Amino acid sequence: MSAERGRRLDEKQRRAWLRLIRTENVGPATFRDLVNRFGSAEKALAALPDLARRGCAAGIRLAPEDLIDAELETAARMGAEFIAIGEPCYPPLLMRIDHPPPLIAARGNLDLLRNPMIAIVGARNASLAGAKLAARLSAELGSQGYVIASGLARGIDAAAHRGALDTGTVAVLAGGLDRPYPPENNGLHTEIAERGVVLTEMPFGWTPRARDFPRRNRIVAGVAYGLLVVEAADRSGSLISARLANEMGRLVFAIPGSPLDPRSAGTNRLLKDGAILVTEAADVSDAIAPLIGREPQATLDMEEPSDLEMAEPPGDDERQRIVEALGPTPIHVDEIIAHTGLAPAQVFLVILELDLAGRIERHPGGAVSLLMGDF
């Protein structure tokens, strides 16, 4: 997908994008490959049944038109918008992560999404001191022009949002915009939607499950120049966010705490592993300020044909060679191309077919692995 930042989809394109990303076995990476292959989401939708069949799937269920109608109607009723990657209000740093969401649903002051962001996360069972510190740091960083991003969880997340209500905050949800979680933060969710921004990649009506929270965490980390962990136990979701931020090349900050408090075990370990120690807002802003405006401009295609569209489809022998090169261990697609000697477009097409058939798993950095089972 390649296009200048600032172009907007028309309503027909936006509907096709929404239907494609809501179709089974189509995630962000598959979405992008499909649009690159066929030149548009509409053409990709028409090609999906045949692609899935060639990947040895019994069939593929396209997202029903009535469900897309319902999502669009709910968005309009709530005053929300679907923002496509590459459009003006799409968070600029989010475009640069592995497999960015093609569409996000957002509600509120969308201009805030253009501003530099800092993520603040931490323990749900936060101490009073930790919550007060998170709110204070959010307010101070907000006064310096930063938007504070977090995940609307109880504890540190909620405190960070409240501290930045006057200056700008972004809440990333694990469920649909109409399914905020946890319930005790419903009032805060409403207030952020009125004064800040609430966003998600999940469908309207989607109640979050455990596996949806790491997906949310990747967006929290992805929109920001850096991520600050205030309190976190070992094996916590906040440490997942910190790991994701580090893998994305973002700065990771942590506040030290007492070794006797399990809520500081995670932050103290982050500091041992090289996180930037924070005792005041300046520790964060001084590290991030030199990065503002220095990131390369990201451009992504929207609805434009690519070289993949013109490639000849592989035959059965070529498909078999690609499948035989795969296994349960993740391997980069470039290695498959080198091993098989096939054209890149042919390999990418077979990967697409297998993905749509639910036969492979995608990994960070462009690696894939074969899901073992009977097909």
Side-chain angles (χ1 to χ4, degrees):
M1 297 185 291
S2 76
E4 294 182 5
R5 181 167 170 80
R7 286 183 52 183
R8 291 183 59 84
L9 299 179
D10 61 35
E11 291 312 307
K12 183 178 179 182
Q13 290 173 316
R14 198 175 308 276
R15 182 186 181 87
W17 275 45
L18 183 59
R19 191 179 185 207
L20 182 58
I21 194 58
R22 297 295 189 246
T23 291
E24 66 176 351
N25 292 340
V26 177
T30 310
F31 181 101
R32 185 171 181 177
D33 288 349
L34 283 165
V35 174
N36 277 343
R37 168 74 189 184
F38 296 101
S40 74
E42 200 167 18
K43 291 180 181 177
L45 285 165
L48 282 181
D50 189 51
L51 286 172
R53 179 188 56 77
R54 293 206 301 261
C56 297
I60 190 167
R61 183 174 179 268
L62 301 180
E65 294 277 10
D66 59 343
L67 289 184
I68 302 304
D69 290 337
E71 271 211 72
L72 292 169
E73 290 167 5
T74 302
R77 186 171 65 253
M78 292 182 63
E81 295 186 28
F82 288 102
I83 305 170
I85 192 167
E87 292 189 321
C89 287
Y90 195 94
L93 293 185
L94 189 60
M95 287 199 297
R96 297 171 54 206
I97 72 171
D98 270 348
H99 312 151
L103 281 176
I104 54 174
R107 179 185 176 200
N109 179 7
L110 303 187
D111 288 338
L112 290 174
L113 298 177
R114 307 169 189 252
N115 295 350
M117 296 189 211
I118 295 171
I120 297 181
V121 299
R124 293 189 297 274
N125 62 332
S127 68
L128 178 58
K132 288 175 65 176
L133 183 56
R136 191 185 82 194
L137 291 172
S138 293
E140 292 175 359
L141 291 168
S143 69
Q144 297 176 39
Y146 294 102
V147 172
I148 302 302
S150 198
L152 198 68
R154 61 176 66 91
I156 296 299
D157 287 23
H161 286 308
R162 290 192 179 97
L165 278 172
D166 290 336
T167 54
T169 187
V170 172
V172 183
L173 305 186
L177 279 188
D178 54 346
R179 294 290 188 273
Y181 182 88
E184 64 253 40
N185 283 345
N186 284 353
L188 179 59
H189 170 268
T190 300
E191 198 165 3
I192 295 172
E194 292 171 350
R195 303 170 64 184
V197 181
V198 181
L199 67 83
T200 185
E201 65 177 320
M202 304 306 288
F204 282 91
W206 187 271
T207 300
R209 306 159 299 176
R211 65 183 180 182
D212 296 321
F213 290 95
R215 294 182 62 172
R216 176 205 62 185
N217 294 350
R218 114 185 178 281
I219 296 180
V220 171
V223 298
Y225 282 91
L227 180 137
L228 169 62
V229 184
V230 177
E231 290 180 334
D234 271 329
R235 304 179 184 276
S236 67
S238 298
L239 296 189
I240 295 175
S241 298
R243 174 180 58 79
L244 292 170
N246 185 59
E247 290 173 353
M248 295 172 188
R250 309 298 198 253
L251 297 180
V252 177
F253 304 88
I255 293 177
S258 169
L260 301 177
D261 188 342
R263 290 170 295 199
S264 296
T267 51
N268 290 341
R269 181 152 62 86
L270 286 174
L271 291 167
K272 288 181 180 180
D273 291 342
I276 300 170
L277 188 147
V278 171
T279 59
E280 59 183 357
D283 296 327
V284 179
S285 56
D286 288 351
I288 286 179
L291 306 177
I292 306 298
R294 293 181 54 187
E295 69 278 2
Q297 291 297 310
T299 58
L300 291 165
D301 296 356
M302 293 196 303
E303 303 283 343
E304 291 185 358
S306 70
D307 293 340
L308 293 179
E309 186 182 8
M310 308 305 295
E312 287 293 325
D316 291 342
D317 288 345
E318 288 84 2
R319 283 192 179 84
Q320 187 60 32
R321 285 161 61 188
I322 294 168
V323 172
E324 289 175 352
L326 291 166
T329 301
I331 185 171
H332 197 280
V333 176
D334 287 346
E335 296 180 78
I336 301 172
I337 293 169
H339 175 76
T340 60
L342 297 173
Q346 292 180 313
V347 174
F348 279 112
L349 180 59
V350 174
I351 295 298
L352 261 180
E353 294 169 357
L354 296 171
D355 199 359
L356 291 167
R359 296 183 62 189
I360 64 167
E361 181 178 359
R362 292 187 183 259
H363 303 272
V368 296
S369 62
L370 191 67
L371 294 172
M372 309 307 288
D374 297 326
F375 292 95

